[in-house]
Amino acid sequence: LTTNCPIKLSLRQKTPTVTNSNPKKKLHSIMTITRSTSITFVLGLTMLANAPTAVSSFAVSNPLFPEQRTMQKTTPSKTDGVEIELPNFNELFNRIREVSPLSNMAIEGELGGFDVADEKYKSDLKWKKVERKPRNTVFQIDKIDNFQGLGCPIVRWRSTIEGPCVGVKFAEFIMNLEERAKWDPQIDEVDEIYPIYDVDAANIAMGWKYGDCKRLGIGYCQTKSNPIVDGREQLILCGIQDFPNKSCVIWGTELEEWHNHLMPDVERHTRAKSHLFATTLVPRGPDSFDVEYILQLEVGGKIPNFLTTPVMIETVKQMFNHAKKTFADEQIMKPWLEKDIDVITDEKLNLLMTP
């Protein structure tokens, strides 16, 4: 529930103090977070839950981004005058947890691998086997066709990689244009156009329940044309969550049509949409980690899924092959283990999630 009350707190506080200044006025709320500058949220009618929980199904889920302005939550970007609409984070992470057992391990601070995750965090979803190749870098691929009636499949890749579990380095394969071009021949542009002004604003909006948000922003992606499809573009909100046990969840979701004014001033292309994206890394030990990569991508246009899905599956497999080589290279990984990860992240990453 919302009230007509200012909420003021220091960014060091995890629980805001609420004072009801005039409950008789029209319902709406403003939260001001004090620092060198103020960050203002327009709060919706639903408060964050006390603890994250996996859901049995999100077929009747709430929207991530409510269209009604009075229900929206916004926070400043680093560009003057540009606000970032934040999603319903409980809904977002419930969706991720439903399709990714490994994400439950990360969020709950647990270890144990895929077998433990599958047993402990069971789901009613019916996954269809695509590949089972125990000797391959990606040893398991599954999908659910027409997931949630959106006309496109959701696909899940699983892998175990040798090397230290460094989530922000793995994110570089997806977010950094130079790094991504090494495995994705179709990528043309990846750009973080609107990073959040202060990630602590995201942590507060999440209720400090989903680890530590290390990065959040709006990314723009453009792909080249190929024999199957012409160039596509996407506008995605995405972020990186770190957890105390060195796990990491990299997440993203497509922005809505009312966010199109945030598109860069370039020639428009057919819009592709990542309804849900999540990559979870959980360490198996000091020198290896499990990775679960989830993607539901609507390619757009009139190209059937039976043509686009195999291409997407093979492309993501190439990313894992590239990741395997990179994490095995001690010289490449050394700076990520010795330097301030936040500094490296600011220098190298552009936020965009989907292949």
Side-chain angles (χ1 to χ4, degrees), residues 292-319:
E292 189 166 56
Y293 188 106
I294 302 286
L295 178 62
Q296 185 177 23
L297 177 65
E298 180 183 343
V299 176
K302 299 181 180 180
I303 308 298
N305 291 322
F306 73 84
L307 291 178
T308 59
T309 301
V311 174
M312 179 180 69
I313 287 174
E314 291 303 314
T315 301
V316 173
K317 286 165 67 175
Q318 292 304 310
M319 181 201 67

Side-chain angles (χ1 to χ4, degrees), residues 14-120:
K14 293 187 178 181
T15 305
T17 301
V18 182
T19 58
N20 194 336
S21 59
N22 191 344
K24 296 182 180 180
K25 290 184 179 180
K26 184 178 179 180
L27 292 179
H28 81 278
S29 297
I30 295 177
M31 176 165 70
T32 302
I33 305 169
T34 61
R35 207 180 209 186
S36 58
T37 186
S38 64
I39 302 171
T40 302
F41 293 92
V42 179
L43 298 182
L45 292 176
T46 304
M47 297 297 288
L48 295 172
N50 291 327
T53 56
V55 294
S56 59
S57 172
F58 52 83
V60 291
S61 59
N62 296 315
L64 292 180
F65 299 100
E67 188 170 2
Q68 187 177 353
R69 289 185 61 86
T70 57
M71 300 284 288
Q72 294 172 357
K73 298 179 291 183
T74 65
T75 188
S77 72
K78 290 183 179 179
T79 300
D80 289 342
V82 176
E83 296 280 313
I84 296 174
E85 182 182 351
L86 299 176
N88 180 332
F89 283 113
N90 282 341
E91 182 68 27
L92 173 65
F93 284 102
N94 279 345
R95 295 185 186 190
I96 292 172
R97 297 180 74 171
E98 174 67 9
V99 296
S100 172
L102 202 65
S103 71
N104 287 285
M105 302 284 282
I107 292 171
E108 298 298 334
E110 300 172 341
L111 302 173
F114 288 115
D115 290 341
V116 175
D118 286 338
E119 180 62 27
K120 189 166 185 178

Side-chain angles (χ1 to χ4, degrees), residues 262-283:
L262 298 174
M263 284 278 195
D265 187 17
V266 296
E267 180 185 356
R268 297 274 68 86
H269 299 269
T270 301
R271 181 77 175 268
K273 295 183 177 181
S274 293
H275 295 292
L276 186 64
F277 164 82
T279 299
T280 300
L281 288 73
V282 175

